[in-house]
Amino acid sequence: MARDTKPLNRRDVLKATGVAGLAGLAGCTGGGGGDGDGNGGGDGEDYPSLGNYPIEGDTATFGFNVPQSGPYASEGEDELRAYQLAVKHLNEGGGWVDSQFDDLSGDGVVGYTIDYVDGDTATDADQARQSASGMIQRDNAIMISGGSSSAVAIAVQGLCQNEKVMFMACLTHSNDTTGKDCVRYSFREMFNAYMTGQALAPVVKEAYGEGLKFYQLYADYSWGQTQQASMNQFMTDVAGWEQVESVATPLGTTDYSTYLSEAQSSGADVLILNHYGLDGANSIQQAVDAGINEDMEIIVPLYNRPMAEAAGGAIENVYGTLAWDSQIDNAPSKEFTEAFQSEYDRVPSGPAQVAYAQTLQYAAAVERAGTFYPPEVIKQLEDYEYDNIGMGSEVMRGCDHQAQRDVPVVKGLPGSEQESGKYYEIVNITSRDDLGYACDAGPAAECELGSYE
């Protein structure tokens, strides 16, 4: 694993100094977390062994599996910063632990100190699965979180279901994550491609009018495939547009010139670039360099700050959606931005906000359950209602483990108006009441969650 070639993290240092062994001894004698019998949870309830439960010792380990190399590495770096901040706040207080999560104390979780290990997915499903497997088998991680690719998230959540270790999905936008590939042991805060189509279609219809023709390029894996399908559905049904062509591009493409030339000569009025991360920055920059924005409107359905920062002025007047932004004016958003800036001297991205939120949501569910025993934690998250992470009133739906939430629609700013942390203006925050689908409709119609045990 890539982790083995990296500098030692805090867990490695503890092992090297023997502190982890002392912690384990304390747990065996009834000290620290748990009930002294290894039943992990501090409530004395008897639950059977399952996955990495019960926890030995008084330290619970989380596994953070993010892209630290590859086309989504910038997103992964910000996710990892947020995960580390969440662990710090769980153990020491601060941020939302003090202000937004009444279930959390800032003194660990149900009596356990929280530690973490991290790995590099390289935006590759096989490597991500191998990395997560090591965290589960070697490091005894009680929970895994991460991802910036839906192919990665789907692979890892399938592994976690089999291993009976919970997965708190971070950045995964494919309809399939909580659709046909959903599992009982995974939860997703991030909205999906279907909701992006619902949120964008009315906005671009008002901006550009009806009766337009559009051409799509899309990343050729689970996310891009479901993203282009959702854009086709809602641009056709809601905006009243007609798709001319939809063309797949390999993940990690660096030269889009041939694809863009074909789009430019297609006669379409709108070019939709279903690319993300460095791929998204490259494709839109190359489109603008080729002068396509002079003849066609451009839409990038899914944005984030690292991507916008890399693309610079090329995103001017380009519409899209994003997970969250520091410009959102409410108490949780301001508090997270301040805590993140204080720790790292930089403005947090949407992926960072999702990573931080998912970690605290899991920890709070453990506190409500009074145990790390996975089925009990899952039941605390299913149909749980919350309004404490900056995106208004939400519910983590029980039928497919998909958050029902608002979706911000943004438009890129000119390069002259961009500054650190501010690259687009929020033109609408589409209410969850205008989004989503019933449990027997849309992507959820194909979801079968599987067993608790």
Side-chain angles (χ1 to χ4, degrees):
M1 282 176 47
R3 176 180 173 274
D4 294 334
T5 64
K6 291 165 56 184
L8 293 176
N9 64 20
R10 188 166 74 91
R11 183 177 176 85
D12 296 319
V13 173
L14 288 174
K15 285 181 176 178
T17 59
V19 175
L22 292 175
L25 181 60
C28 290
T29 58
D35 56 17
D37 296 321
N39 278 335
D43 60 338
E45 291 290 338
D46 251 342
Y47 294 108
S49 295
L50 185 68
N52 279 333
Y53 178 91
I55 297 170
E56 295 184 5
D58 60 359
T59 298
T61 300
F62 295 171
F64 301 136
N65 207 22
V66 302
Q68 299 181 51
S69 60
Y72 295 169
S74 292
E75 288 74 15
E77 289 173 1
D78 226 30
E79 289 172 27
L80 188 54
R81 293 184 187 103
Y83 284 131
Q84 292 166 339
L85 186 63
V87 169
K88 178 180 180 179
H89 289 167
L90 287 173
N91 289 327
E92 303 174 12
W96 288 348
V97 171
D98 292 347
S99 63
Q100 298 295 331
F101 280 75
D102 293 339
D103 296 314
L104 299 175
S105 66
D107 187 24
V109 179
V110 290
Y112 287 80
T113 298
I114 303 302
D115 207 341
Y116 73 93
V117 292
D118 64 83
D120 181 13
T121 70
T123 319
D124 178 84
D126 289 337
Q127 181 162 329
R129 190 185 296 107
Q130 181 182 359
S131 176
S133 181
M135 293 175 179
I136 294 169
Q137 300 298 332
R138 180 192 60 239
D139 302 309
N140 297 316
I142 194 69
M143 181 273 283
I144 305 291
S145 187
S148 282
S149 156
S150 291
V152 162
I154 289 168
V156 174
Q157 72 178 18
L159 169 71
C160 287
Q161 176 71 30
N162 290 336
E163 297 287 348
K164 297 297 184 276
V165 171
M166 287 187 62
F167 180 65
M168 299 298 288
C170 185
L171 201 62
T172 168
H173 190 243
S174 169
N175 293 335
D176 294 343
T177 308
T178 49
K180 71 180 184 65
D181 294 311
C182 72
V183 297
R184 180 73 63 183
Y185 274 64
S186 179
F187 291 84
R188 175 165 64 175
E189 166 62 30
M190 180 69 183
F191 57 89
N192 60 18
Y194 193 97
M195 297 176 195
T196 279
Q198 289 177 311
L200 266 180
V203 174
V204 297
K205 175 183 177 181
E206 182 176 351
Y208 302 136
E210 297 185 64
L212 302 182
K213 296 181 178 180
F214 64 99
Y215 190 106
Q216 294 201 77
L217 297 179
Y218 65 94
D220 194 15
Y221 72 101
S222 178
W223 168 67
Q225 293 156 7
T226 66
Q227 178 63 65
Q228 69 85 20
S230 292
M231 292 301 289
N232 185 26
Q233 176 181 347
F234 291 103
M235 294 304 110
T236 300
D237 295 347
V238 177
W241 297 358
E242 177 186 352
Q243 179 170 276
V244 173
E245 186 62 88
S246 181
V247 178
T249 63
L251 182 66
T253 296
T254 56
D255 183 0
Y256 289 91
S257 58
T258 300
Y259 300 106
L260 293 170
S261 178
E262 293 173 355
Q264 193 169 21
S265 61
S266 69
D269 306 295
V270 179
L271 173 62
I272 301 176
L273 297 173
N274 299 291
H275 299 134
Y276 194 68
L278 183 59
D279 287 4
N282 284 337
S283 67
I284 190 169
Q285 184 65 67
Q286 291 171 27
V288 171
D289 288 346
I292 290 179
N293 58 326
E294 298 175 6
D295 303 316
M296 306 172 73
E297 304 293 349
I298 300 176
I299 296 172
V300 175
L302 187 62
Y303 265 121
N304 67 39
R305 185 193 56 75
M307 173 182 165
E309 184 177 24
I315 66 172
E316 180 177 357
N317 294 323
V318 174
Y319 285 96
T321 62
L322 79 173
W324 170 90
D325 189 72
S326 59
Q327 298 177 70
I328 294 174
D329 187 15
N330 57 45
S333 294
K334 290 178 180 178
E335 289 163 0
F336 174 62
T337 300
E338 290 170 2
F340 194 93
Q341 281 187 302
S342 176
E343 188 74 13
Y344 300 113
D345 194 28
R346 59 186 290 128
V347 177
S349 64
Q353 184 265 356
V354 176
Y356 185 80
Q358 285 288 74
T359 307
L360 297 194
Q361 291 285 19
Y362 169 77
V366 171
E367 287 283 3
R368 292 194 299 275
T371 178
F372 279 99
Y373 183 61
E376 295 302 317
V377 180
I378 290 169
K379 291 170 185 176
Q380 287 296 325
L381 286 166
E382 289 178 333
D383 292 319
Y384 182 68
E385 297 182 8
Y386 52 102
D387 61 358
N388 55 352
I389 68 168
M391 290 310 306
S393 178
E394 304 187 47
V395 60
M396 183 60 72
R397 192 159 63 177
C399 68
D400 58 355
H401 294 187
Q402 172 64 58
Q404 303 298 295
R405 48 159 289 177
D406 297 351
V407 174
V409 179
V410 299
K411 182 171 69 171
L413 291 171
S416 60
E417 297 180 21
Q418 294 180 9
E419 56 188 68
S420 179
K422 185 178 180 181
Y423 300 94
Y424 21 65
E425 63 173 313
I426 298 174
V427 298
N428 189 52
I429 296 183
T430 307
S431 168
R432 83 180 212 196
D433 295 336
D434 298 321
L435 299 169
Y437 41 90
C439 287
D440 60 355
E446 299 182 80
C447 173
E448 295 183 10
L449 287 170
S451 67
Y452 287 93
E453 298 178 352

